Structure formats: C-alpha cells, structure tokens
Amino acid sequence: TFRDTVLIVAFCQRLCLDVFGMLDYLQTVLPPADGTFINGFDRWIGAFTTDPEECQCLFESRIPVWLIWKPDRVPADMKVIKEVEV
C-alpha cells in the first residue's frame, strides 16, 4: 500500500504543478507588439489543416488557420471569418 500512496501523491503533485503552470501562463501579461502589421486576409499565411478540432485549437490560440474541407462538412458552430474557393 505504501507504493500506491506514493503513486497517488506523485500524481496529485503532477496535477497541481500542471494547474499552477497553466494559471501562471494565463496571468502572464505580454507586451503589445510593435512594428508594421500586415493584413493577413490578403495573403496565404498561417497553418493549414484538415482536422476541425486542431483548427479550433489554433484559432483560439490566435494563430491564423485555414481549414481545408468541403463547405457542407464544416461544423455549424465553427466561426468562419472568410471563405476562399480553391
């Protein structure tokens, strides 16, 4: 039972460190970006994917992402900023 207790305590410590690390990351204030900004909608920049879950994660991370799918297969709850016909 001692080994089981050690495993449970180690698992709890790992979970707590993950949570504290995530909270620390969310509270980190990033300095505003400076320089010349380019409108990305006129150019093909960003990540290309065929996975809607990966697309949503990248979008929520503020990474420009292009979902390569047929329009009728795009989930209804997915936010589409611009549709491009290829």
Side-chain angles (χ1 to χ4, degrees):
T1 61
F2 177 74
R3 290 181 180 163
D4 293 340
T5 305
V6 170
L7 287 174
I8 291 171
V9 169
F11 177 74
C12 181
Q13 287 176 337
R14 184 184 65 83
L15 183 63
C16 289
L17 286 173
D18 285 347
V19 170
F20 287 131
M22 190 181 322
L23 291 174
D24 187 43
Y25 171 76
L26 292 174
Q27 293 175 353
T28 302
V29 178
L30 297 175
D34 55 349
T36 305
F37 293 97
I38 298 172
N39 185 5
F41 292 116
D42 294 338
R43 292 164 178 82
W44 292 85
I45 64 169
F48 293 84
T49 183
T50 57
D51 183 14
E53 291 179 15
E54 189 175 303
C55 180
Q56 188 65 33
C57 290
L58 291 170
F59 181 79
E60 290 173 359
S61 300
R62 307 296 189 255
I63 297 172
V65 61
W66 299 87
L67 179 64
I68 311 296
W69 259 26
K70 292 183 178 182
D72 57 338
R73 294 189 61 204
V74 175
D77 61 342
M78 182 171 280
K79 184 176 181 181
V80 177
I81 295 177
K82 184 175 183 179
E83 185 177 330
V84 177
E85 186 175 331
V86 180

